[in-house]
């Protein structure tokens, strides 16, 4: 707490400021900065360490934050204990973090997360995952996203568990952490895919208590490979920067590939679908939601329905047991073809079941006859497009088969492993130019 106390003292010396920023490297300096901000009551703005000058400049200007340099060697008395800020307590609505979105639909927006929202989310996850002081949390994720920072750092502080950050999330580093008593592992699908491709490293995780995947859908073949190699069925969870984690599988519960579990304590979900449709937009309510987009009241209002539900923009289905399956983004993953509404994720999972397919991304491309035709971009060898089309048609409804299969060397992804389908679509537009 000494380094965090020094940060809090520095912030107090600045006088009133709306926020402060820190270059969020995977380091103790970042942890000290975030905790120091909580002690001082000043929201922290984590800046990605690889941000270019335009992105960094936008974040600092938009937030009004002053960049703080942290020296972990400096120590100062803590001004007090960390505020508990339970969901109903004083200070729960005070801002704790301002995280910037990826900017896929415009310039990055600052998402204001309150102390109460963070506490409500971490306590709900602690219950769902049976996460406590007995655990050793292992991950190597960046500390400027919800996954690595809120769950991976503040979650450990909230539950009292030890945290072992591996620096980089490599299979070798995760396997080595097992010798240090690693019991709870966080990763994104890219991390788990690489571990599944390294059998010795995967086998080292057999003694873990729980493996958790998030930030993007875990491919079914990776799920199955990890189950075979580690003996664990990976728990998936779902959330957004604006909502934190709202839905998750449970420790000791039934876990099925392609599903993200049930709503967490205090969270309510609904799927808004057209009449007769099985899938629709997932909307949520609960104490984990953000306070709003910084300085953008119109964007904040537009994110909610008239009756107060947050629009996730994700397409989902929910079964009779309340188990959620995320099909994809409404903007890129809801395909309307020949009068049918088709979720790209379902077709992708079917393609990934083929032993020759390593990656798959499915999009809808404008079509004069069908409205949109299903186009599959795949990374595969030793199989033809026609064979893959027939493979999908044999497993799903015939109208869900790809009308076209294109072979690529890799699916473009962002730093968290999420497919960047717009880049595939841009390629389609260039191809037609």
């Amino acid at each position: 707490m000494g380094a965090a106390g020094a940060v809090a003292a520095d912030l107090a010396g600045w006088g009133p400021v709306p926020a402060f920023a820190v270059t969020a490297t995977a380091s103790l300096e970042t942890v000290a900065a975030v905790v120091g901000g909580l002690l001082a009551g000043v929201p922290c703005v984590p800046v990605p360490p690889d941000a270019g000058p335009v992105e960094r400049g936008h974040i600092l200007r938009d937030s009004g934050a002053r960049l703080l340099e942290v020296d972990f060697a400096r120590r100062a008395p803590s001004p007090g204990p960390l505020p508990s800020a339970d969901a109903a307590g004083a200070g729960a609505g005070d801002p704790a973090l301002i995280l910037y979105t990826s900017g896929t639909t415009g310039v990055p927006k600052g998402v204001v997360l309150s102390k109460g929202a963070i506490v409500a989310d971490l306590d709900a996850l602690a219950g769902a995952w049976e996460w406590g002081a007995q655990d050793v949390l292992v991950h190597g994720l960046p500390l400027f996203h919800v996954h690595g920072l809120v769950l991976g750092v503040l979650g450990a502080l909230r539950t009292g568990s030890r945290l072992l950050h591996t620096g980089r999330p490599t299979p070798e580093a995760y396997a080595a952490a097992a010798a240090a008593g690693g019991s709870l592992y966080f990763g994104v699908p890219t991390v788990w895919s690489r571990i599944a491709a390294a059998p010795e490293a995967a086998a080292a995780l057999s003694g873990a208590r729980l493996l958790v995947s998030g930030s993007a859908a875990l491919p079914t073949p990776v799920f199955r490979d990890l189950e075979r190699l580690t003996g664990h069925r990976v728990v998936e969870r779902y959330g957004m920067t604006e909502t934190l984690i709202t839905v998750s599988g449970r420790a000791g519960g039934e876990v099925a590939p392609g599903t993200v579990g049930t709503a967490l304590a205090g969270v309510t979900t609904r799927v808004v679908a057209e009449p007769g449709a099985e899938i629709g937009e997932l909307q949520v309510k609960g104490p984990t939601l953000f306070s709003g987009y910084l300085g953008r009241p119109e964007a904040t209002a537009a994110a909610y329905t008239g009756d107060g539900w947050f629009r996730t923009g994700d397409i989902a289905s929910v079964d009779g047991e309340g188990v959620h399956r995320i099909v994809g983004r409404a903007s890129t993953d809801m395909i309307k073809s020949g009068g049918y509404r088709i979720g790209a994720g379902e077709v992708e999972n079917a393609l990934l079941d083929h032993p020759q397919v390593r990656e798959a991304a499915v999009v809808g491309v404008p079509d004069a006859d069908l409205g949109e035709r299903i186009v599959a971009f795949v990374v595969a060898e030793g199989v033809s497009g026609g064979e893959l089309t027939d493979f999908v048609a044999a497993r799903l409804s015939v109208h869900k088969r790809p009308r076209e299969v294109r072979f690529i060397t890799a699916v473009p992804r962002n730093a968290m492993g999420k497919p960047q389908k717009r880049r595939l679509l841009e390629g389609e537009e260039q191809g037609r130019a």
Side-chain angles (χ1 to χ4, degrees):
M1 290 293 285
V7 169
D10 287 343
L11 294 173
W14 286 1
V17 290
F20 76 100
V22 63
T23 301
T25 56
S27 65
L28 289 171
E29 282 74 14
T30 299
V31 177
V34 173
V35 175
L38 290 171
L39 291 169
V42 181
C44 178
V45 182
V47 179
D50 60 349
V54 173
E55 180 183 3
R56 175 178 288 257
H58 167 74
I59 291 173
L60 295 178
R61 285 191 304 273
D62 188 72
S63 65
R66 176 178 165 185
L67 192 65
L68 175 70
E69 298 294 335
V70 181
D71 179 0
F72 191 76
R74 288 183 59 220
R75 295 291 192 270
S78 168
L82 279 173
S84 61
D86 60 49
D94 293 343
L97 294 171
I98 302 173
L99 303 183
Y100 274 76
T101 63
S102 60
T104 55
T105 57
V107 295
K109 299 188 288 291
V111 175
V112 181
L113 297 173
S114 71
K115 296 172 184 176
I118 292 171
V119 165
D121 202 53
L122 294 178
D123 287 353
L125 288 172
W129 297 341
E130 300 175 1
W131 180 10
Q134 78 283 356
D135 279 305
V136 176
L137 170 62
V138 178
H139 76 85
L141 302 172
L143 301 189
F144 49 89
H145 290 296
V146 166
H147 200 164
L149 179 59
V150 178
L151 276 61
V153 172
L154 296 182
L157 290 171
R158 180 70 178 174
T159 61
S161 65
R162 288 175 54 202
L163 168 62
L164 198 167
H165 194 285
T166 62
R168 293 178 60 82
T170 64
E172 296 75 18
Y174 274 41
S183 61
L184 175 61
Y185 286 77
F186 290 169
V188 298
T190 300
V191 173
W192 293 122
S193 176
R194 291 172 180 172
I195 290 174
E200 290 187 7
L205 304 187
S206 60
R209 186 178 66 78
L210 194 68
L211 310 181
V212 180
S213 183
S215 298
L218 183 69
T220 297
V222 176
F223 178 99
R224 291 174 177 162
D225 286 346
L226 288 170
E227 182 180 16
R228 174 175 53 84
L229 293 167
T230 70
H232 293 289
R233 295 171 72 84
V234 178
V235 166
E236 289 195 74
R237 88 295 184 284
Y238 166 82
M240 302 174 64
T241 306
E242 292 91 337
T243 67
L244 298 178
I245 309 307
T246 53
V247 177
S248 179
R250 303 302 200 266
E254 292 293 325
V255 177
T259 63
V260 293
T262 57
L264 292 177
V267 175
T268 307
T269 68
R270 72 180 184 186
V271 171
V272 179
E274 292 184 357
E278 298 179 354
I279 57 177
E281 184 187 39
L282 180 65
Q283 299 176 356
V284 301
K285 276 186 176 182
T288 69
L289 269 63
F290 72 144
S291 302
Y293 294 114
L294 184 67
R296 291 175 168 81
E298 292 183 358
T300 302
Y304 287 87
T305 65
D307 55 349
W309 292 77
F310 179 80
R311 306 174 186 269
T312 68
D314 284 317
I315 303 303
S317 65
V318 182
D319 68 16
E321 301 299 318
V323 175
H324 294 63
R325 187 181 296 271
I326 306 299
V327 176
R329 293 293 294 170
S331 57
T332 56
D333 295 321
M334 174 63 80
I335 302 170
K336 298 179 181 180
S337 181
Y340 295 99
R341 294 168 65 86
I342 302 157
E346 185 179 19
V347 183
E348 289 163 357
N349 279 332
L351 286 164
L352 288 168
D353 269 338
H354 193 285
Q356 301 303 113
V357 175
R358 298 196 302 275
E359 295 184 82
V362 170
V363 298
V365 173
D367 185 274
D369 178 46
L370 298 169
E372 287 183 303
R373 70 181 184 278
I374 301 173
V375 176
F377 293 82
V378 300
V379 179
E381 294 179 357
V383 64
S384 69
E387 289 172 322
L388 291 178
T389 294
D390 292 342
F391 184 82
V392 173
R395 283 156 177 76
L396 304 177
S397 301
V398 173
H399 67 265
K400 296 179 181 179
R401 71 192 186 282
R403 301 293 179 135
E404 184 180 351
V405 176
R406 301 185 187 182
F407 293 91
I408 56 177
T409 57
V411 173
R413 299 177 185 275
N414 65 15
M416 297 302 288
K418 294 182 180 180
Q420 295 181 302
K421 293 187 177 182
R422 291 186 184 278
R423 290 175 57 183
L424 297 172
L425 293 172
E426 287 168 2
E428 163 70 13
E429 293 298 325
Q430 292 170 1
R432 291 191 293 172

